[in-house]
Amino acid sequence: MRINPCRHIYKSLSRDPLQTDNKTILVTPSDDKNFPVKNYYRQSGQKLEDFIDNVVFFEEPIKTNKAFREQFTTHGLCWTFNADGSRQVNRTGMDFGLSFSLDINQSIYPDFVKTAGVKLMFHNYYEPALIDEYGLALTPGTENFISLSYERVRNLKAPYGECRDDPLLLYKNYSISGCERQCFTEVMVKECNCKRYYLKDLPGKKYGNVDCSLSKEKSCVERLIKRYHAGELINSTECKCTDPCVSENYLATLSTAEYPAKNHGEALVKNYNKDKGKTNKTKRDVTYYRENLLKVHIYFEILSIKEVEKVGSYKWSNLMGDVGGQLGLFLGANIVTIFEFVDFYLRLLWYNCIVKYFLKSVKRNHNNDQRTCSLNHRNFHATKRAIRLRVRWGMCEAVRKEKMCLPCIMSVSTNGLV
């Protein structure tokens, strides 16, 4: 699981870096191509040690620079905890989670920034951080308790649905957000010959590791972002991102309390001002802590996994059961009827293919014998041989050893019967 805290100030800075009337950035045309956008965010924003402090994980203090890693998003510079997914949790409760405090320092906010606070996002380490869409907003002057639960959703493959589980070029595992982000990067590199500062480098592509200049941001990237928000890229054939076959989500429940309390705030002011002579820090009061400080506690509520599996609503077994039930209800048919139909069609096949063929063969042989009998009949009159016939049980029988077929004998008997 990754945790990304980002300040709201970066949202306005990253949206339009050329808003010179709002005093966001002042650059000359000669600096446009080589303007380091990432370095600008690093220099204009707060340092990590000034922004995040008092990091505790599983009841163990951790140095801030070892716990968090920088990551650029649409909000500018953010910081990611557990970027590689190596830190695991095996117990529930606030004591066995992550706690830290944030100082947003509103005094450095530009005057056009309307809101103050941070956005926090929970996501898998193989997914991009979409702070705009899924970020959880936290306000200063509060202590925030965030309990997490884990959910796994299994989607169906064809013919019931359409899902993917193949790895992506830029991300280890498939996800809709990763697929859309990769597609957006590929189209941007293809059309603008560069990529935005927060996108990953595209390997194997020309200009795949080139950050866009400020002029390209205005002329090409903004137009592409409008198309992306309108759904023209995602709904196209080259950017078809279906549901993952298995998706894993973190469900967060937030509860807040006022921080610091009145007496605790006065104690914080007293301790801070006591040490201000040792450093060059400015003097603080309780109002500063109410306007800039917030504490965050993140922990798992339960360690069990809620698994949602989609199943086909109508399978072949359901179809066969319904068909059999209707046949039994209206026709009185059952499983024995199936075998009776099979027996009937086998008998019909036997008659059409075997018996008819045999009868045709017999008829063909009979015709040949009849032609032979006709020839013998003519020879009979020519040689004038004596034939004695007798009738038994309505049939003709030749007494001579010569064999004659029944039709021939009957024709002889019509001429004279002894």
Side-chain angles (χ1 to χ4, degrees):
M1 179 186 69
R2 282 182 174 181
I3 301 173
N4 292 79
C6 297
R7 291 175 51 196
H8 272 303
I9 183 175
Y10 295 111
K11 181 174 182 180
S12 298
L13 294 179
S14 62
R15 284 296 186 184
D16 192 351
L18 294 180
Q19 290 181 353
T20 53
D21 55 335
N22 288 327
K23 300 179 181 180
T24 305
I25 299 177
L26 292 175
V27 292
T28 60
S30 60
D31 297 332
D32 174 66
K33 292 183 179 180
N34 300 321
F35 184 78
V37 179
K38 290 184 179 179
N39 289 340
Y40 167 77
Y41 284 117
R42 291 190 183 103
Q43 295 173 5
S44 62
Q46 280 181 288
K47 305 300 181 183
L48 174 61
E49 55 273 14
D50 297 331
F51 181 41
I52 304 175
D53 197 9
N54 301 323
V55 182
V56 178
F57 178 71
F58 220 82
E59 295 186 317
E60 296 263 345
I62 306 176
K63 291 184 178 180
T64 306
N65 57 357
K66 292 184 178 181
F68 289 88
R69 184 185 303 175
E70 73 171 16
Q71 180 177 357
F72 289 94
T73 68
T74 53
H75 277 244
L77 179 59
C78 298
W79 301 96
T80 301
F81 178 80
N82 199 19
D84 56 357
S86 60
R87 289 185 171 91
Q88 304 292 326
V89 175
N90 56 11
R91 299 183 68 177
T92 61
M94 191 174 65
D95 294 335
F96 305 101
L98 174 67
S99 299
F100 55 89
S101 58
L102 301 172
D103 186 353
I104 64 175
N105 193 7
Q106 291 195 49
S107 61
I108 65 173
Y109 274 40
D111 55 2
F112 60 86
V113 178
K114 299 179 180 179
T115 57
V118 298
K119 268 196 170 183
L120 205 62
M121 180 184 174
F122 308 93
H123 63 101
N124 291 299
Y125 67 93
Y126 54 81
E127 295 178 348
L130 303 181
I131 300 294
D132 281 344
E133 291 84 350
Y134 306 111
L136 187 67
L138 306 179
T139 59
T142 58
E143 186 168 7
N144 302 270
F145 303 88
I146 304 174
S147 60
L148 299 176
S149 59
Y150 190 73
E151 181 186 65
R152 181 182 295 143
V153 179
R154 298 185 182 273
N155 296 307
L156 289 175
K157 295 183 179 181
Y160 300 103
E162 187 177 2
C163 66
R164 291 176 55 182
D165 54 5
D166 54 309
L168 299 172
L169 180 63
L170 299 181
Y171 302 96
K172 181 179 179 181
N173 297 62
Y174 177 82
S175 63
I176 295 180
S177 57
C179 176
E180 293 180 354
R181 180 62 62 86
Q182 177 176 306
C183 179
F184 181 60
T185 305
E186 291 175 348
V187 174
M188 183 177 296
V189 170
K190 180 180 178 181
E191 296 189 8
C192 303
N193 295 330
C194 63
K195 64 177 184 62
R196 295 204 82 181
Y197 64 92
Y198 59 83
L199 298 176
K200 284 189 173 184
D201 293 344
L202 196 62
K205 298 289 184 179
K206 190 177 180 180
Y207 308 110
N209 59 347
V210 178
D211 291 341
C212 293
S213 62
L214 297 180
S215 59
K216 282 291 184 67
E217 289 271 354
K218 270 291 188 183
S219 60
C220 183
V221 175
E222 286 190 359
R223 174 174 47 84
L224 200 63
I225 291 176
K226 291 181 180 179
R227 290 173 54 195
Y228 176 77
H229 290 164
E232 297 179 11
L233 301 182
I234 304 304
N235 296 329
S236 62
T237 55
E238 58 183 3
C239 289
K240 189 175 182 180
C241 298
T242 60
D243 292 332
C245 294
V246 179
S247 62
E248 300 171 336
N249 308 306
Y250 292 93
L251 308 178
T253 303
L254 172 64
S255 58
T256 61
E258 188 179 76
Y259 177 83
K262 180 179 178 181
N263 294 335
H264 181 64
E266 293 176 354
L268 289 175
V269 171
K270 183 178 180 180
N271 293 333
Y272 182 86
N273 293 334
K274 183 189 297 184
D275 298 332
K276 79 179 183 67
K278 301 178 183 179
T279 61
N280 295 325
K281 297 180 180 178
T282 58
K283 188 177 181 179
R284 292 181 178 177
D285 55 10
V286 178
T287 305
Y288 177 87
Y289 290 100
R290 293 282 176 83
E291 292 180 352
N292 298 281
L293 227 63
L294 62 151
K295 297 191 70 175
V296 182
H297 306 280
I298 304 168
Y299 54 92
F300 275 96
E301 181 180 358
I302 53 175
L303 291 181
S304 60
I305 300 175
K306 177 183 178 182
E307 187 159 318
V308 179
E309 184 175 0
K310 297 181 179 180
V311 296
S313 60
Y314 201 75
K315 299 182 179 180
W316 279 105
S317 58
N318 302 114
L319 176 63
M320 298 301 294
D322 291 343
V323 172
Q326 298 299 325
L327 289 176
L329 178 63
F330 294 102
L331 301 179
N334 52 31
I335 193 171
V336 179
T337 310
I338 298 177
F339 292 101
E340 292 176 350
F341 272 109
V342 172
D343 177 71
F344 170 75
Y345 282 111
L346 288 176
R347 290 176 180 270
L348 188 63
L349 180 66
W350 168 266
Y351 177 78
N352 289 330
C353 297
I354 305 299
V355 176
K356 282 189 175 182
Y357 175 79
F358 178 75
L359 291 177
K360 287 181 180 179
S361 178
V362 171
K363 185 176 181 180
R364 185 167 54 250
N365 294 333
H366 171 72
N367 291 335
N368 293 335
D369 293 340
Q370 189 175 7
R371 286 193 295 270
T372 303
C373 290
S374 299
L375 179 62
N376 293 335
H377 182 64
R378 288 194 298 271
N379 292 334
F380 171 78
H381 288 285
T383 59
K384 296 182 179 180
R385 287 179 294 180
I387 298 176
R388 186 162 54 92
L389 302 175
R390 65 181 180 179
V391 179
R392 285 184 180 180
W393 300 296
M395 296 180 61
C396 298
E397 181 181 3
V399 294
R400 291 176 62 89
K401 292 183 179 180
E402 293 188 17
K403 294 182 180 180
M404 304 178 71
C405 63
L406 184 61
C408 296
I409 294 174
M410 294 301 295
S411 63
V412 173
S413 63
T414 55
N415 294 330
L417 184 63
V418 181

